[in-house]
Amino acid sequence: MSGVRRLGARWRRRRPLRTRLALAASAAVALVAVGVCAAAFFVIRYELLHQLDLSLTQSATRVIQENRGEGPQIVAGECRYLSAPACAQIVPADPAADPEAAYLLPVSAPVREVAAGTRAPYYSNVTRFEQPLRMLTTPFGDGRALQVALRADPVEKGVRQAAVLLAAVGGAGVLLAGLLGYAVSRTGLAPVARLTSTAERIAATRDPRHRIELPPGPPGRQDEVTRLAASFNTMLGELEQSVSSQRRLVADASHELRTPLTALRTNAELLARGDRLTPAQRERASGALGRGIREVTGLVNDLIELARDEEPLPLLEEVRIAEVAEHTVATARTHWPQTRFLLEVGAGAAEAVRPGVPARLARLLTNLLDNAAKFSPPGTPVEVGLTAYEGGLELTVRDHGPGIPAADLPYVFDRFYRAEAARALPGSGLGLAMARQIARAHGAELTAGAAPGGGALFTLTFGPEGPPSGSGPS
């Protein structure tokens, strides 16, 4: 039995889903069709025999009424013809009381038992006159039994015709079941076929812009396969966005690296011919080479940070945001000695905690402070504020520089984006992109806008205390 199951499982694995679904649907419909035909055959057979038995009962009642008190004898014997009345004979319980003439119908021991009253009336099938007969044996009274018989070949013929007709109907039902099963599998798996072809096309072309066509209708009334196709389309959209972002990152990184690498190569070639340069020229080339190396190193480090931030880091701890702000402001004061940094912690914000990774949050604030210091005119402060409000926490970084033009606001958090006013300043254009990425990984939102009175204002908003959305900060 286990071997049969293994063979069945192996056969199912080797057949496509459409074939298995078609066979299953066909088998279900075929079983119903065959079951209905079989049930109809037994009902028809029962009804035909029941009608014949009712005729025998009526004939027996009429004979009993017409021959009450008669002795053993043959009452009627023309049942060999279809239009003739039923054959009837009266049989005694004692064989010694039989008439001299031979009986037309067979007389057996059960017949004598019915005559003696020790057996209930019964129906039986016999053959006489080379024809099948249906016979009823019932008590006649005073130790006698009455046998009544009618030809049964019309009933048998009707049963055979019903069997042939229902077999034909059942066969047609099985054929129709096969067609319906194929149609059901083809229609039901059409979205799966489209999904498969789309996936194969994407695998062949490596282009995630393809989508599966969905049938019209409200989302709440879609079936499971349509919802699967919709989820696949959503996944393709995310994949397309990820691929586009990756391609953009590679293109932007190669563009940003090309200029400093060219300068590094030029200065390295100059220093390689150092015997032809004056000491002042060697010093300028050496300084330029060092600055280029630092610029490329910073850019590569930022790219590594961005790449690492796209991976989940589930090791969280309760971080006091005020302490992180104090630490990053103190660090910024050492990096930017010409800029004043002012930190103001509001009531209730000093003890506010959020789950996160302290080093990543510190990097976020450091990028904001570096950006603000870079654009702050001499003598103007960078203002950092931390306030708590009902259900959330807000940290702001404001400078008094030229601010962000309205045309640049939608792009300030894009990788490698640098406004016209910032192109002459140091930096790679990755700091704000990294800051927003870290913020979103911690369940916070980072926005940029214009500060009242001039300057740029960056706002980091934490929601109610709780775990960040997602698997962890990235």
Side-chain angles (χ1 to χ4, degrees):
M1 193 66 181
S2 60
V4 174
R5 285 198 296 268
R6 285 197 298 270
L7 287 176
R10 189 179 304 120
W11 184 88
R12 288 192 297 271
R13 286 195 300 269
R14 291 180 178 178
R15 293 297 180 273
L17 179 60
R18 176 177 294 178
T19 302
R20 285 180 283 164
L21 181 60
L23 289 177
S26 302
V29 178
L31 285 176
V32 172
V34 172
V36 170
C37 291
F41 169 76
F42 286 111
V43 170
I44 293 173
R45 180 175 177 273
Y46 170 79
E47 288 296 331
L48 291 176
L49 289 177
H50 183 62
Q51 291 296 325
L52 183 58
D53 292 343
L54 285 178
S55 298
L56 288 173
T57 302
Q58 292 173 355
S59 298
T61 302
R62 186 178 66 253
V63 171
I64 290 173
Q65 291 176 350
E66 294 175 353
N67 297 276
R68 193 178 302 277
E70 296 289 337
Q73 59 177 310
I74 298 175
V75 179
E78 299 299 326
C79 61
R80 70 182 65 191
Y81 305 110
L82 289 176
S83 59
C87 292
Q89 62 187 25
I90 301 172
V91 180
D94 185 3
D98 287 342
E100 294 181 358
Y103 290 118
L104 291 176
L105 303 176
V107 178
S108 58
V111 177
R112 305 288 185 181
E113 294 174 359
V114 172
T118 59
R119 185 186 176 112
Y122 67 93
Y123 295 94
S124 59
N125 297 317
V126 297
T127 301
R128 279 292 183 270
F129 320 117
E130 298 181 354
Q131 299 292 341
L133 303 178
R134 180 74 169 171
M135 185 175 68
L136 167 64
T137 303
T138 185
F140 191 76
D142 297 330
R144 291 167 296 174
L146 175 65
Q147 291 179 285
V148 183
L150 284 170
R151 282 183 60 172
D153 52 314
V155 173
E156 293 182 355
K157 182 179 179 181
V159 171
R160 287 194 298 271
Q161 290 176 344
V164 172
L165 178 61
L166 290 174
V169 172
V174 171
L175 179 61
L176 180 61
L179 296 176
L180 289 176
Y182 174 76
V184 167
S185 66
R186 184 178 180 85
T187 304
L189 294 179
V192 177
R194 291 196 296 269
L195 188 150
T196 303
S197 62
T198 302
E200 291 174 347
R201 194 181 310 119
I202 292 173
T205 63
R206 297 181 179 272
D207 185 1
R209 291 177 297 177
H210 299 287
R211 295 293 184 272
I212 301 173
E213 294 183 7
L214 300 178
R221 296 184 180 179
Q222 294 176 345
D223 56 22
E224 290 79 1
V225 178
T226 304
R227 289 203 300 271
L228 173 62
S231 300
F232 190 75
N233 281 344
T234 303
M235 182 188 68
L236 288 178
E238 296 293 334
L239 177 62
E240 180 183 3
Q241 184 178 358
S242 176
V243 171
S244 299
S245 177
Q246 182 183 25
R247 289 173 178 172
R248 218 168 31 244
L249 175 63
V250 172
D252 292 340
S254 61
H255 175 73
E256 292 293 330
L257 285 170
R258 186 177 295 114
T259 300
L261 287 177
T262 302
L264 285 177
R265 185 176 61 184
T266 301
N267 290 317
E269 291 175 351
L270 282 175
L271 289 176
R273 297 192 297 268
D275 53 341
R276 303 178 184 179
L277 302 177
T278 65
Q281 290 174 332
R282 281 197 300 271
E283 185 177 353
R284 285 197 302 270
S286 177
L289 182 61
R291 289 191 299 272
I293 291 175
R294 286 192 296 273
E295 182 179 352
V296 172
T297 302
L299 179 58
V300 171
N301 287 338
D302 287 342
L303 288 173
I304 293 174
E305 290 290 342
L306 281 172
R308 187 178 66 178
D309 278 341
E310 292 178 354
E311 300 179 0
L313 299 174
L315 299 179
L316 305 178
E317 59 181 280
E318 293 296 323
V319 181
R320 188 168 296 174
I321 304 300
E323 292 184 355
V324 175
E326 292 171 357
H327 171 73
T328 52
V329 167
T331 304
R333 286 171 179 155
T334 61
H335 289 168
W336 303 87
Q338 304 300 324
T339 304
R340 287 187 301 127
F341 291 88
L342 304 179
L343 173 63
E344 181 179 354
V345 179
E351 304 297 325
V353 296
R354 290 294 185 274
V357 180
R360 308 307 299 143
L361 291 173
R363 181 60 185 270
L364 185 158
L365 297 180
T366 298
N367 288 357
L368 294 180
L369 295 176
D370 288 346
N371 182 77
K374 187 165 52 176
F375 289 96
S376 293
T380 59
V382 172
E383 302 170 6
V384 182
L386 181 64
T387 58
Y389 60 93
E390 184 178 356
L393 189 66
E394 185 177 272
L395 186 144
T396 59
V397 177
R398 184 229 171 121
D399 62 57
H400 292 268
I404 304 174
D408 293 329
L409 271 177
Y411 312 105
V412 293
F413 294 107
D414 290 351
R415 293 170 179 172
F416 296 106
Y417 182 80
R418 303 181 72 185
E420 291 294 335
R423 295 189 182 276
L425 298 175
S428 60
L430 296 176
L432 293 181
M434 190 185 307
R436 170 170 275 190
Q437 189 167 290
I438 297 173
R440 288 181 173 175
H442 284 78
E445 185 61 30
L446 179 62
T447 58
L457 176 66
F458 289 86
T459 304
L460 178 65
T461 306
F462 293 90
E465 185 173 357
S469 59
S471 60
S474 57

